[in-house]
Amino acid sequence: MAHVLIYIKEKGKMKVTLEKEKENVVKLDITIPAKDAADAYNKAVSTISKYVNIDGFRKGKAPRAVVERHVGTERIKQEAIENLLPKAINQAVVDNNLDIIAQPYVTNYNFNIGEDLTVTAKAELRPEVTLGQYKDLTLEVKDSPVEEDAMQKSIDRLLEQHSTQETVIDRPTKDTDIAVIDFEGTANGEKIIGGDAKNYPLDLGHSNFIPGFAEQLVGKNLNDEFEIKVNFPEDYHDEKLKGQPATFKIKINEIKEKKLPELNDEFAQKVGSFKNVDELKADIKNYLETQRERTNKMNSENEVFKAVIEGAKVDIPQSMIDREVNSLREEYKQRLAAQGINWDALVKAQGEDQLLKNLDEDAMTRIKNSLVIDKIAKVESIKLEQKDLEAKFAQLGAAYGLKPQDLLKQLGQNPEVLASISQQAMNDKVREFLMNNNKVEIK
C-alpha cells in the first residue's frame, strides 16, 4: 500500500514529516539539527553518569569518554532520543489535531555526532466511528416482576441468618443439619491436593461441595467412620480430576441442628427498627419492589446501549485488539489466581484456540463500546466535571467501605487506575444521556 504524504512542516530548525499508513497508523520522520542532538547527547551522558558506578570516579563526575566506554554509546543515544522525541511528536499532534491512542514508538534512527539526527517513529490514531441512530429510539424491555414466593424466601433467609445451633447426640444427621467432619479424598490412586480437612462444618442443606457429597452424609451417626464415592463434574477446573471418580474417607465428629427463631414482633424488633411483623414485611416488600425497579432500569440501559452499539460502525485495527487481549489476559489471570485456579489449567480445560477466540471477542466488544461512548461524548459535547468524578469515588468508596478521600489516596499513585475510573465516570454520563434521549417501554 502506497504511503500518502499529508504533512511537512518546520518548527524552528526541527522538521517533521507526517505520512499516513494503513490501519490508523501514522509515520513521523523527524529531523533534529546537529547542535540540538549533540546537546541532548551531552545531557544524556551527564544524566546516566549520576546513576552508574564507575571505578575511580564519584557519581556524575566521570568524563564523557569514560561513560561511553562503560555503558556504550547506543544507550546514551537512546536516552537522548527519549528526551528529544516528546517535543517533536507533541508538536505534530497539536499542528495536525491528531488523536493518538497509544504511545508512539521508534522504528529507526540515524544518530551521528556532528550530523542532523533523523528518527522514524510510528503512532496509532483513534479509529473513526460512524454513529447510527442513537437518539429518539423506542425500545421494549421485558418486565422483571417480583416472584410470588419472593416474600417467603426473603423471610426464610432472614430467619436462617439469625438461626442458632444445638449439638445433637441422639439421632442420625438430617439434610438440614450441620455436620462437623474430617475428610480425606483420593482419585486415581493419589491423594487429592486440597481434598482433606479436619473438623470442617458442612451445611448439608446448602453445600457447594462436589454433587452427591453432602447427600451421602445424611442418616449417619455421631463418630461414624465411612467412605463415600463421588464423581467430579465434567467442567471441573482441574484437568486431572475432570469427570473422574473419587473416594472420600469421612468421620462424623459433631452434629448440629439449626434452630430457626419464631417470626413474631420480638424478632422484627431484633432485626431492625420495626415495631411488629407487619412493618418488617412492608420493608421487605419495599426492598423487593426497589430491586425490581433497579433491574428494569439496568435492563433498559443495556437495551438502549446495545441498540446504539449495533448501529455504529468502526474498523478496529488488529494492533488495538492485540493490546486489549493482553490486558484482558492479565485481568483474567489475576481473578483466577484469587480463586485458586491456574491459568495453564484453564487453557488445557477450554482449549487454547477457544480461549483466544473468547478473548478476541471480549476485546473487540470493550474497544467498540469505549470508542462509541467517546464519539457520542464528543458529538454531544459531554464533558467530565469534578462533581462526576466525586460521585464516582463516592460510589466506589461505598462499595469498598472506604471514604472517597481515602480511596483517592490509595489510587492516586496509579495513573492507569485513575484513568480507568475517569472512563467509567464518562461511561455513566453518556449512558445517562442515552436514557434521557431515548424511550423504553417496560412490557
Side-chain angles (χ1 to χ4, degrees):
M1 176 178 178
H3 296 179
V4 179
L5 180 65
I6 61 173
Y7 168 71
I8 298 180
K9 187 170 184 178
E10 291 191 23
K11 280 289 174 180
K13 296 181 180 180
M14 179 175 64
K15 185 173 74 171
V16 179
T17 302
L18 190 68
E19 298 180 22
K20 188 172 183 180
E21 296 186 337
K22 61 181 180 179
E23 285 198 324
N24 301 80
V25 173
V26 290
K27 185 181 78 166
L28 299 98
D29 288 316
I30 303 165
T31 302
I32 297 171
K35 183 181 183 305
D36 294 342
D39 290 344
Y41 184 90
N42 291 331
K43 183 179 179 181
V45 170
S46 177
T47 300
I48 291 174
S49 69
K50 295 176 183 178
Y51 297 100
V52 296
N53 295 314
I54 302 177
D55 292 341
F57 298 93
R58 286 182 295 157
K59 288 184 176 180
K61 299 300 181 180
R64 170 175 150 177
V66 175
V67 176
E68 288 176 333
R69 285 198 303 271
H70 189 79
V71 303
T73 57
E74 286 305 310
R75 178 180 171 187
I76 298 171
K77 289 177 180 178
Q78 289 171 7
E79 175 83 14
I81 290 172
E82 287 177 4
N83 291 329
L84 288 167
L85 205 57
K87 179 181 177 181
I89 291 177
N90 288 340
Q91 191 62 59
V93 167
V94 171
D95 288 345
N96 293 273
N97 195 28
L98 301 178
D99 191 358
I100 293 176
I101 60 172
Q103 185 69 26
Y105 56 94
V106 174
T107 59
N108 186 39
Y109 66 86
N110 188 12
F111 197 162
N112 295 310
I113 301 300
E115 299 177 6
D116 288 349
L117 164 64
T118 59
V119 180
T120 300
K122 292 190 178 183
E124 192 172 330
L125 304 180
R126 184 182 302 277
E128 184 60 36
V129 176
T130 303
L131 294 173
Q133 184 178 356
Y134 65 94
K135 293 189 290 188
D136 301 322
L137 294 168
T138 299
L139 303 169
E140 291 185 1
V141 172
K142 186 178 179 181
D143 189 17
S144 301
V146 177
E147 297 178 4
E148 292 183 7
D149 60 347
M151 172 67 76
Q152 188 58 51
K153 285 182 178 178
S154 297
I155 291 174
D156 291 343
R157 281 195 297 270
L158 193 59
L159 293 172
E160 183 89 16
Q161 291 169 6
H162 291 81
S163 65
T164 57
Q165 298 177 10
E166 293 183 4
T167 301
V168 176
I169 59 174
D170 58 351
R171 65 163 175 78
T173 55
K174 296 179 180 179
D175 60 6
T176 55
D177 289 337
I178 294 172
V180 181
I181 61 172
D182 296 342
F183 64 89
E184 182 178 332
T186 58
N188 300 318
E190 297 180 0
K191 183 178 178 180
I192 298 171
I193 298 175
D196 63 290
K198 297 287 186 182
N199 291 317
Y200 186 93
L202 182 63
D203 188 337
L204 301 184
H206 303 88
S207 167
N208 59 358
F209 272 30
I210 304 167
F213 188 104
E215 290 83 346
Q216 296 183 64
L217 271 59
V218 175
K220 303 298 182 181
N221 292 299
L222 187 64
N223 297 320
D224 276 358
E225 295 186 39
F226 53 95
E227 289 186 352
I228 63 172
K229 296 185 182 299
V230 293
N231 277 73
F232 280 91
E234 291 293 341
D235 59 353
Y236 196 66
H237 62 81
D238 189 331
E239 186 71 24
K240 291 182 179 179
L241 297 175
K242 184 185 297 184
Q244 294 298 308
T247 300
F248 283 85
K249 293 181 179 179
I250 310 289
K251 181 186 176 186
I252 305 291
N253 295 328
E254 195 173 358
I255 301 172
K256 294 183 177 182
E257 181 180 3
K258 285 189 288 188
K259 294 288 187 179
L260 299 181
E262 184 181 348
L263 181 62
N264 52 28
D265 293 347
E266 182 181 352
F267 175 76
Q269 294 163 10
K270 179 181 178 181
V271 299
S273 55
F274 311 110
K275 294 180 181 179
N276 49 49
V277 174
D278 288 340
E279 286 191 5
L280 171 61
K281 288 184 175 180
D283 186 72
I284 294 174
K285 181 180 180 181
N286 180 65
Y287 170 79
L288 293 172
E289 285 296 334
T290 300
Q291 287 297 101
R292 173 192 182 186
E293 292 173 3
R294 287 178 180 172
T295 301
N296 284 340
K297 181 176 182 293
M298 180 181 68
N299 291 342
S300 298
E301 288 182 355
N302 290 341
E303 194 67 24
V304 170
F305 192 66
K306 177 183 175 183
V308 171
I309 292 295
E310 289 178 348
K313 295 181 180 179
V314 55
D315 185 16
I316 303 173
Q318 189 60 44
S319 54
M320 282 189 75
I321 298 172
D322 292 341
R323 280 199 306 275
E324 191 67 25
V325 165
N326 290 334
S327 176
L328 280 171
R329 184 188 289 113
E330 292 306 311
E331 286 182 26
Y332 291 164
K333 282 183 178 180
Q334 292 176 12
R335 285 188 211 165
L336 291 170
Q339 299 173 35
I341 301 175
N342 180 270
W343 170 261
D344 293 331
L346 184 66
V347 171
K348 289 181 180 179
Q350 292 192 8
E352 186 173 11
D353 290 344
Q354 183 61 45
L355 198 59
L356 289 176
K357 180 182 177 183
N358 293 341
L359 285 173
D360 265 10
E361 291 174 353
D362 289 349
M364 291 182 69
T365 298
R366 280 176 48 158
I367 292 169
K368 186 175 182 181
N369 289 356
S370 177
L371 291 173
V372 171
I373 285 173
D374 290 347
K375 181 70 173 183
I376 293 173
K378 183 177 180 179
V379 171
E380 297 293 339
S381 299
I382 301 173
K383 306 293 184 183
L384 203 58
E385 301 174 6
Q386 183 65 29
K387 63 180 181 179
D388 301 316
L389 289 173
E390 291 174 356
K392 195 64 186 178
F393 272 103
Q395 178 186 350
L396 293 172
Y400 290 104
L402 295 171
K403 294 180 179 179
Q405 56 268 32
D406 294 333
L407 185 64
L408 182 58
K409 286 180 181 178
Q410 292 186 20
L411 301 179
Q413 298 178 351
N414 192 328
E416 291 184 3
V417 174
L418 286 176
S420 175
I421 292 174
S422 297
Q423 183 64 50
Q424 291 176 37
M426 178 57 78
N427 293 354
D428 293 345
K429 200 160 187 178
V430 171
R431 288 171 80 97
E432 182 181 3
F433 169 85
L434 293 176
M435 289 304 296
N436 291 335
N437 287 274
N438 293 287
K439 183 179 179 182
V440 179
E441 298 176 354
I442 306 296
K443 292 291 184 179

